[in-house]
Amino acid sequence: MNIDKVNKIKEIVRRYKSVAGTNDIREVIDICNIKIQEVYNLEEMNYFKGMYYKSKSKQTIVLNKALPEKEQEIVLAHEFAHSKLHRNIDISYLLNDTFFICDPFELEANTLAAEFLIEDDTIINLLIEDPTSTYKSMSQTLGLPEELIELKYTYLDKDKLKNIHDF
């Protein structure tokens, strides 16, 4: 992902956290007038976690309420990312009718979710506590997927890491 896209993602996260005055993804979504429609996992939809869609001017995130609370937070952050980065893209159309590979959109959404859910200082403090920390160990400590930890680390301001060796 290019640096301009990463900077845009970081700015979106900074702006919405600032406007909302919170890191709570549900409150940010509420302030943005995005409806959260909670559904319970149906047997025939055992893979379903969540989705974002826009109809006319109404935005909705559908969330599988049967997921554990931490996973719901991750799904909400990911779908919120789609609402800010891909608002006018119909992913289901792209997948079903054009066979377009949507991986870049998912990577961008996961990057925004990582930026939203993980503070720079959290990663830095984990590395100060244990310089041999791995994505896996940080994932276990934070209760977040390794992929999000890796994305956060990849786009972390590396100047902040230079000071770790001073401790």
Side-chain angles (χ1 to χ4, degrees):
M1 186 173 351
N2 73 43
I3 194 67
D4 290 336
K5 181 60 88 169
V6 172
N7 288 336
K8 177 182 177 184
I9 288 169
K10 287 178 179 260
E11 177 56 25
I12 289 169
V13 170
R14 187 202 60 73
R15 183 176 57 227
Y16 282 98
K17 283 184 174 183
S18 175
V19 166
T22 183
N23 292 342
D24 185 312
I25 188 64
R26 287 181 184 271
E27 288 184 38
V28 171
I29 288 170
D30 185 53
I31 287 170
C32 292
N33 291 322
I34 301 171
K35 180 184 180 208
I36 299 174
Q37 179 182 351
E38 295 177 337
V39 296
Y40 284 87
N41 198 9
L42 305 174
E43 194 171 299
E44 62 273 10
M45 293 175 54
N46 61 2
Y47 61 89
F48 179 79
K49 292 183 179 185
M51 66 177 271
Y52 166 79
Y53 71 91
K54 180 181 173 190
S55 61
K56 298 186 182 178
S57 63
K58 183 179 176 184
Q59 298 181 76
T60 304
I61 293 173
V62 180
L63 174 67
N64 181 348
K65 188 65 175 158
L67 296 171
E69 192 64 36
K70 190 69 167 184
E71 195 168 353
Q72 287 181 39
E73 184 180 357
I74 296 165
V75 170
L76 287 171
H78 177 92
E79 299 307 333
F80 173 75
H82 283 304
S83 78
K84 297 303 163 202
L85 298 170
H86 314 124
R87 179 177 303 177
N88 296 316
I89 298 173
D90 184 344
I91 298 295
S92 62
Y93 166 76
L94 289 177
L95 286 171
N96 296 326
D97 296 338
T98 69
F99 306 109
F100 183 81
I101 297 173
C102 295
D103 290 348
F105 300 119
E106 295 305 308
L107 176 61
E108 291 171 5
N110 282 342
T111 301
L112 192 144
E115 285 295 322
F116 194 95
L117 297 172
I118 310 165
E119 298 294 329
D120 289 359
D121 289 346
T122 301
I123 298 294
I124 291 166
N125 288 336
L126 287 173
L127 290 169
I128 289 169
E129 290 171 20
D130 179 5
T132 64
S133 291
T134 63
Y135 298 139
K136 183 175 184 171
S137 66
M138 287 189 257
S139 168
Q140 292 168 344
T141 300
L142 299 175
L144 295 168
E146 282 183 55
E147 179 186 8
L148 293 185
I149 304 298
E150 184 175 357
L151 285 169
K152 179 62 181 184
Y153 182 82
T154 299
Y155 300 116
L156 186 69
D157 180 355
K158 298 305 188 259
D159 288 338
K160 293 181 178 180
L161 293 176
K162 290 178 183 174
N163 297 331
I164 288 179
H165 300 294
D166 296 340
F167 290 92

